[in-house]
Amino acid sequence: MTGARGHGGLDTAMARYGGRREDWVDLSTGINPVPYPVPLLDPKACTALPGRAAHDTLTQAAREFWGMPDDAAILAAPGTASLVAHVPGLLRAGRVHIPAPVRTRHAKAFAAHGWTEGEDSPDARVLVHPDDPTGGWYSSDDLGAPFTVIDESYADVSPYQSLVSFADREGTLILKSLGRFWGLAGLRLGFAIGPQDEIDRLSARLGPLSVSGPALAIGTRALSDRAWAADTRTRLNEDAAHLDALMVRAGAGVVGGTSLFRLYRVEDAAAWQDRLAQARVWSRSYPDNPGWLRLGLPAPGNWPRVEQAI
């Protein structure tokens, strides 16, 4: 399992190097720096209890955007973190395989429910698709465990590689998020997609009215805006290529990543992280892989600072 030295985000950066939040360019998150434009909301979205119609409208928009199988069910939730915390409790604890490197929140969630990790004949498997931080993708050949969780938090950068078409397969659960590609991490809106019985059990654990009125309204608008999604993919690809070119000229090698974050091989990632931090640019390094440095993309106005820091 790969730990992230910079995982603490800007709080860690400020505690170590000083400065205020607005002084920093945070490239440690992998969140789209040009978020979906939040529309003006009807005040009732904040003052009235969320209704079934608003919930159904959101999930229908999600079905259409992701091209879900007709037999698959979907559950909206207050962020994927809440889903990750509850999913291990759907089954009796056993052995889970979480291929490394991968985000540690899945390992912590399964451990909290009494699961042990092991690769041989696992009862469950977690696939972060694409992987963070290498950007590697899986295929249907990797769905052999009795229960497979597929975390597609970053998959919307390349929808044709999604495994959502297997969401109606018994023992498969796919997690989606509006936090990364749409840049709406603070909205706290995620989805679980899978067979009806598993979605029903997960819904019972979350309880009723778990998604806020503003999240229902904004999520519906975002998932219905295909033109924004297409334009965003083009921009992210161009910006990722520009960042690669900068880093290669600075002596780094491209390991992988996605168009939301890039992974580089450098001689000393901790030294790189320190040098960038002196310029108030925060990155992510990995103690288990001291040559790995991960950078997200800057907002358009921050490119000159990042270019100078690199």
mmCIF file of all heavy atoms in Angstrom, residues 223-254:
data_model
loop_
_atom_site.group_PDB
_atom_site.id
_atom_site.type_symbol
_atom_site.label_atom_id
_atom_site.label_comp_id
_atom_site.label_asym_id
_atom_site.label_seq_id
_atom_site.Cartn_x
_atom_site.Cartn_y
_atom_site.Cartn_z
ATOM 1 N N LEU A 223 -24.941 16.719 -14.678
ATOM 2 C CA LEU A 223 -25.005 15.454 -15.414
ATOM 3 C C LEU A 223 -25.794 15.562 -16.714
ATOM 4 O O LEU A 223 -25.724 14.664 -17.552
ATOM 5 C CB LEU A 223 -25.614 14.378 -14.512
ATOM 6 C CG LEU A 223 -24.695 13.886 -13.391
ATOM 7 C CD1 LEU A 223 -25.495 13.119 -12.345
ATOM 8 C CD2 LEU A 223 -23.574 13.026 -13.943
ATOM 9 N N SER A 224 -26.516 16.642 -16.876
ATOM 10 C CA SER A 224 -27.286 16.848 -18.101
ATOM 11 C C SER A 224 -26.526 17.682 -19.127
ATOM 12 O O SER A 224 -26.983 17.845 -20.257
ATOM 13 C CB SER A 224 -28.618 17.544 -17.774
ATOM 14 O OG SER A 224 -29.388 16.769 -16.861
ATOM 15 N N ASP A 225 -25.365 18.203 -18.749
ATOM 16 C CA ASP A 225 -24.619 19.129 -19.597
ATOM 17 C C ASP A 225 -23.491 18.389 -20.317
ATOM 18 O O ASP A 225 -22.321 18.445 -19.939
ATOM 19 C CB ASP A 225 -24.062 20.265 -18.745
ATOM 20 C CG ASP A 225 -23.625 21.466 -19.584
ATOM 21 O OD1 ASP A 225 -23.363 21.276 -20.785
ATOM 22 O OD2 ASP A 225 -23.537 22.573 -19.028
ATOM 23 N N ARG A 226 -23.831 17.707 -21.384
ATOM 24 C CA ARG A 226 -22.847 16.913 -22.121
ATOM 25 C C ARG A 226 -21.833 17.786 -22.856
ATOM 26 O O ARG A 226 -20.682 17.389 -23.042
ATOM 27 C CB ARG A 226 -23.561 15.983 -23.095
ATOM 28 C CG ARG A 226 -24.399 14.907 -22.412
ATOM 29 C CD ARG A 226 -25.154 14.061 -23.424
ATOM 30 N NE ARG A 226 -25.971 13.067 -22.760
ATOM 31 C CZ ARG A 226 -25.563 11.837 -22.445
ATOM 32 N NH1 ARG A 226 -24.334 11.470 -22.742
ATOM 33 N NH2 ARG A 226 -26.372 10.986 -21.846
ATOM 34 N N ALA A 227 -22.259 18.963 -23.285
ATOM 35 C CA ALA A 227 -21.335 19.852 -23.988
ATOM 36 C C ALA A 227 -20.212 20.288 -23.061
ATOM 37 O O ALA A 227 -19.032 20.316 -23.458
ATOM 38 C CB ALA A 227 -22.086 21.069 -24.537
ATOM 39 N N TRP A 228 -20.551 20.632 -21.815
ATOM 40 C CA TRP A 228 -19.512 21.012 -20.853
ATOM 41 C C TRP A 228 -18.549 19.857 -20.628
ATOM 42 O O TRP A 228 -17.327 20.056 -20.576
ATOM 43 C CB TRP A 228 -20.142 21.437 -19.528
ATOM 44 C CG TRP A 228 -19.135 21.883 -18.519
ATOM 45 C CD1 TRP A 228 -18.665 23.149 -18.314
ATOM 46 C CD2 TRP A 228 -18.441 21.056 -17.556
ATOM 47 N NE1 TRP A 228 -17.734 23.178 -17.314
ATOM 48 C CE2 TRP A 228 -17.572 21.904 -16.829
ATOM 49 C CE3 TRP A 228 -18.473 19.695 -17.250
ATOM 50 C CZ2 TRP A 228 -16.742 21.425 -15.806
ATOM 51 C CZ3 TRP A 228 -17.642 19.220 -16.241
ATOM 52 C CH2 TRP A 228 -16.793 20.069 -15.531
ATOM 53 N N ALA A 229 -19.075 18.650 -20.503
ATOM 54 C CA ALA A 229 -18.219 17.486 -20.264
ATOM 55 C C ALA A 229 -17.254 17.270 -21.425
ATOM 56 O O ALA A 229 -16.056 17.003 -21.221
ATOM 57 C CB ALA A 229 -19.074 16.242 -20.037
ATOM 58 N N ALA A 230 -17.748 17.389 -22.659
ATOM 59 C CA ALA A 230 -16.889 17.189 -23.823
ATOM 60 C C ALA A 230 -15.805 18.258 -23.895
ATOM 61 O O ALA A 230 -14.624 17.953 -24.149
ATOM 62 C CB ALA A 230 -17.733 17.193 -25.094
ATOM 63 N N ASP A 231 -16.174 19.515 -23.690
ATOM 64 C CA ASP A 231 -15.191 20.601 -23.715
ATOM 65 C C ASP A 231 -14.163 20.432 -22.609
ATOM 66 O O ASP A 231 -12.969 20.711 -22.804
ATOM 67 C CB ASP A 231 -15.890 21.952 -23.569
ATOM 68 C CG ASP A 231 -16.731 22.327 -24.787
ATOM 69 O OD1 ASP A 231 -16.533 21.701 -25.847
ATOM 70 O OD2 ASP A 231 -17.579 23.227 -24.655
ATOM 71 N N THR A 232 -14.607 19.967 -21.454
ATOM 72 C CA THR A 232 -13.709 19.796 -20.318
ATOM 73 C C THR A 232 -12.684 18.706 -20.591
ATOM 74 O O THR A 232 -11.506 18.845 -20.250
ATOM 75 C CB THR A 232 -14.513 19.490 -19.044
ATOM 76 O OG1 THR A 232 -15.306 20.636 -18.713
ATOM 77 C CG2 THR A 232 -13.596 19.160 -17.874
ATOM 78 N N ARG A 233 -13.099 17.619 -21.198
ATOM 79 C CA ARG A 233 -12.144 16.551 -21.522
ATOM 80 C C ARG A 233 -11.055 17.071 -22.464
ATOM 81 O O ARG A 233 -9.878 16.746 -22.296
ATOM 82 C CB ARG A 233 -12.875 15.361 -22.141
ATOM 83 C CG ARG A 233 -13.768 14.631 -21.154
ATOM 84 C CD ARG A 233 -14.376 13.364 -21.751
ATOM 85 N NE ARG A 233 -15.348 12.820 -20.819
ATOM 86 C CZ ARG A 233 -16.662 12.892 -20.961
ATOM 87 N NH1 ARG A 233 -17.182 13.481 -22.044
ATOM 88 N NH2 ARG A 233 -17.471 12.384 -20.056
ATOM 89 N N THR A 234 -11.448 17.868 -23.437
ATOM 90 C CA THR A 234 -10.464 18.432 -24.357
ATOM 91 C C THR A 234 -9.479 19.330 -23.618
ATOM 92 O O THR A 234 -8.259 19.226 -23.810
ATOM 93 C CB THR A 234 -11.176 19.235 -25.462
ATOM 94 O OG1 THR A 234 -12.033 18.357 -26.209
ATOM 95 C CG2 THR A 234 -10.174 19.876 -26.405
ATOM 96 N N ARG A 235 -9.989 20.206 -22.769
ATOM 97 C CA ARG A 235 -9.109 21.116 -22.029
ATOM 98 C C ARG A 235 -8.182 20.353 -21.092
ATOM 99 O O ARG A 235 -6.983 20.655 -21.002
ATOM 100 C CB ARG A 235 -9.932 22.133 -21.228
ATOM 101 C CG ARG A 235 -9.069 23.072 -20.383
ATOM 102 C CD ARG A 235 -9.926 23.975 -19.504
ATOM 103 N NE ARG A 235 -10.817 23.231 -18.646
ATOM 104 C CZ ARG A 235 -10.443 22.627 -17.519
ATOM 105 N NH1 ARG A 235 -9.174 22.649 -17.128
ATOM 106 N NH2 ARG A 235 -11.323 21.969 -16.789
ATOM 107 N N LEU A 236 -8.705 19.368 -20.384
ATOM 108 C CA LEU A 236 -7.874 18.605 -19.455
ATOM 109 C C LEU A 236 -6.749 17.886 -20.191
ATOM 110 O O LEU A 236 -5.603 17.858 -19.719
ATOM 111 C CB LEU A 236 -8.730 17.601 -18.684
ATOM 112 C CG LEU A 236 -9.704 18.175 -17.644
ATOM 113 C CD1 LEU A 236 -10.594 17.069 -17.087
ATOM 114 C CD2 LEU A 236 -8.958 18.882 -16.517
ATOM 115 N N ASN A 237 -7.053 17.303 -21.335
ATOM 116 C CA ASN A 237 -6.016 16.618 -22.106
ATOM 117 C C ASN A 237 -4.925 17.588 -22.548
ATOM 118 O O ASN A 237 -3.726 17.269 -22.498
ATOM 119 C CB ASN A 237 -6.635 15.934 -23.331
ATOM 120 C CG ASN A 237 -7.422 14.690 -22.967
ATOM 121 O OD1 ASN A 237 -7.140 14.033 -21.976
ATOM 122 N ND2 ASN A 237 -8.416 14.364 -23.782
ATOM 123 N N GLU A 238 -5.323 18.776 -22.980
ATOM 124 C CA GLU A 238 -4.342 19.772 -23.412
ATOM 125 C C GLU A 238 -3.490 20.239 -22.238
ATOM 126 O O GLU A 238 -2.257 20.370 -22.360
ATOM 127 C CB GLU A 238 -5.059 20.952 -24.058
ATOM 128 C CG GLU A 238 -5.727 20.605 -25.382
ATOM 129 C CD GLU A 238 -6.596 21.733 -25.913
ATOM 130 O OE1 GLU A 238 -6.821 22.711 -25.164
ATOM 131 O OE2 GLU A 238 -7.056 21.629 -27.069
ATOM 132 N N ASP A 239 -4.113 20.486 -21.095
ATOM 133 C CA ASP A 239 -3.368 20.958 -19.930
ATOM 134 C C ASP A 239 -2.431 19.875 -19.391
ATOM 135 O O ASP A 239 -1.310 20.171 -18.958
ATOM 136 C CB ASP A 239 -4.330 21.418 -18.833
ATOM 137 C CG ASP A 239 -4.973 22.760 -19.147
ATOM 138 O OD1 ASP A 239 -4.621 23.368 -20.185
ATOM 139 O OD2 ASP A 239 -5.823 23.206 -18.355
ATOM 140 N N ALA A 240 -2.880 18.619 -19.405
ATOM 141 C CA ALA A 240 -2.019 17.527 -18.947
ATOM 142 C C ALA A 240 -0.797 17.402 -19.848
ATOM 143 O O ALA A 240 0.330 17.174 -19.368
ATOM 144 C CB ALA A 240 -2.807 16.217 -18.922
ATOM 145 N N ALA A 241 -0.990 17.559 -21.148
ATOM 146 C CA ALA A 241 0.144 17.495 -22.079
ATOM 147 C C ALA A 241 1.112 18.647 -21.838
ATOM 148 O O ALA A 241 2.341 18.470 -21.919
ATOM 149 C CB ALA A 241 -0.368 17.518 -23.516
ATOM 150 N N HIS A 242 0.591 19.808 -21.529
ATOM 151 C CA HIS A 242 1.446 20.975 -21.247
ATOM 152 C C HIS A 242 2.255 20.746 -19.975
ATOM 153 O O HIS A 242 3.464 21.043 -19.933
ATOM 154 C CB HIS A 242 0.578 22.222 -21.113
ATOM 155 C CG HIS A 242 1.342 23.473 -20.822
ATOM 156 N ND1 HIS A 242 2.411 23.896 -21.575
ATOM 157 C CD2 HIS A 242 1.192 24.401 -19.840
ATOM 158 C CE1 HIS A 242 2.888 25.026 -21.084
ATOM 159 N NE2 HIS A 242 2.164 25.347 -20.022
ATOM 160 N N LEU A 243 1.606 20.203 -18.942
ATOM 161 C CA LEU A 243 2.322 19.926 -17.698
ATOM 162 C C LEU A 243 3.404 18.878 -17.916
ATOM 163 O O LEU A 243 4.531 18.998 -17.400
ATOM 164 C CB LEU A 243 1.334 19.460 -16.623
ATOM 165 C CG LEU A 243 1.902 19.251 -15.219
ATOM 166 C CD1 LEU A 243 2.487 20.543 -14.665
ATOM 167 C CD2 LEU A 243 0.813 18.731 -14.278
ATOM 168 N N ASP A 244 3.098 17.838 -18.697
ATOM 169 C CA ASP A 244 4.111 16.828 -19.019
ATOM 170 C C ASP A 244 5.324 17.467 -19.687
ATOM 171 O O ASP A 244 6.476 17.153 -19.359
ATOM 172 C CB ASP A 244 3.525 15.760 -19.945
ATOM 173 C CG ASP A 244 2.644 14.754 -19.219
ATOM 174 O OD1 ASP A 244 2.577 14.800 -17.978
ATOM 175 O OD2 ASP A 244 2.018 13.919 -19.906
ATOM 176 N N ALA A 245 5.075 18.350 -20.632
ATOM 177 C CA ALA A 245 6.182 18.989 -21.347
ATOM 178 C C ALA A 245 7.043 19.805 -20.398
ATOM 179 O O ALA A 245 8.284 19.777 -20.488
ATOM 180 C CB ALA A 245 5.629 19.871 -22.470
ATOM 181 N N LEU A 246 6.421 20.531 -19.480
ATOM 182 C CA LEU A 246 7.177 21.309 -18.498
ATOM 183 C C LEU A 246 8.056 20.412 -17.644
ATOM 184 O O LEU A 246 9.237 20.701 -17.418
ATOM 185 C CB LEU A 246 6.214 22.091 -17.598
ATOM 186 C CG LEU A 246 5.465 23.267 -18.203
ATOM 187 C CD1 LEU A 246 4.451 23.796 -17.201
ATOM 188 C CD2 LEU A 246 6.440 24.372 -18.606
ATOM 189 N N MET A 247 7.477 19.317 -17.148
ATOM 190 C CA MET A 247 8.212 18.439 -16.248
ATOM 191 C C MET A 247 9.321 17.688 -16.971
ATOM 192 O O MET A 247 10.410 17.484 -16.418
ATOM 193 C CB MET A 247 7.251 17.463 -15.581
ATOM 194 C CG MET A 247 6.323 18.113 -14.560
ATOM 195 S SD MET A 247 7.224 18.794 -13.133
ATOM 196 C CE MET A 247 7.768 17.274 -12.329
ATOM 197 N N VAL A 248 9.085 17.283 -18.195
ATOM 198 C CA VAL A 248 10.124 16.584 -18.957
ATOM 199 C C VAL A 248 11.303 17.516 -19.210
ATOM 200 O O VAL A 248 12.475 17.117 -19.086
ATOM 201 C CB VAL A 248 9.544 16.037 -20.278
ATOM 202 C CG1 VAL A 248 10.667 15.554 -21.196
ATOM 203 C CG2 VAL A 248 8.582 14.886 -19.986
ATOM 204 N N ARG A 249 11.013 18.780 -19.539
ATOM 205 C CA ARG A 249 12.108 19.741 -19.737
ATOM 206 C C ARG A 249 12.893 19.970 -18.454
ATOM 207 O O ARG A 249 14.076 20.294 -18.487
ATOM 208 C CB ARG A 249 11.549 21.069 -20.250
ATOM 209 C CG ARG A 249 11.127 21.032 -21.700
ATOM 210 C CD ARG A 249 11.042 22.430 -22.291
ATOM 211 N NE ARG A 249 10.036 23.260 -21.631
ATOM 212 C CZ ARG A 249 8.760 23.323 -22.019
ATOM 213 N NH1 ARG A 249 8.333 22.598 -23.057
ATOM 214 N NH2 ARG A 249 7.920 24.104 -21.390
ATOM 215 N N ALA A 250 12.213 19.763 -17.295
ATOM 216 C CA ALA A 250 12.877 19.932 -16.003
ATOM 217 C C ALA A 250 13.600 18.669 -15.549
ATOM 218 O O ALA A 250 14.160 18.635 -14.447
ATOM 219 C CB ALA A 250 11.863 20.355 -14.945
ATOM 220 N N GLY A 251 13.558 17.613 -16.367
ATOM 221 C CA GLY A 251 14.310 16.398 -16.062
ATOM 222 C C GLY A 251 13.492 15.252 -15.514
ATOM 223 O O GLY A 251 14.050 14.217 -15.151
ATOM 224 N N ALA A 252 12.170 15.395 -15.442
ATOM 225 C CA ALA A 252 11.316 14.323 -14.920
ATOM 226 C C ALA A 252 10.927 13.360 -16.036
ATOM 227 O O ALA A 252 10.954 13.701 -17.220
ATOM 228 C CB ALA A 252 10.061 14.906 -14.273
ATOM 229 N N GLY A 253 10.550 12.154 -15.641
ATOM 230 C CA GLY A 253 10.012 11.175 -16.566
ATOM 231 C C GLY A 253 8.548 10.960 -16.281
ATOM 232 O O GLY A 253 8.118 10.986 -15.122
ATOM 233 N N VAL A 254 7.755 10.769 -17.315
ATOM 234 C CA VAL A 254 6.318 10.557 -17.142
ATOM 235 C C VAL A 254 6.067 9.082 -16.838
ATOM 236 O O VAL A 254 6.403 8.209 -17.634
ATOM 237 C CB VAL A 254 5.538 10.977 -18.407
ATOM 238 C CG1 VAL A 254 4.047 10.733 -18.203
ATOM 239 C CG2 VAL A 254 5.807 12.442 -18.740
#
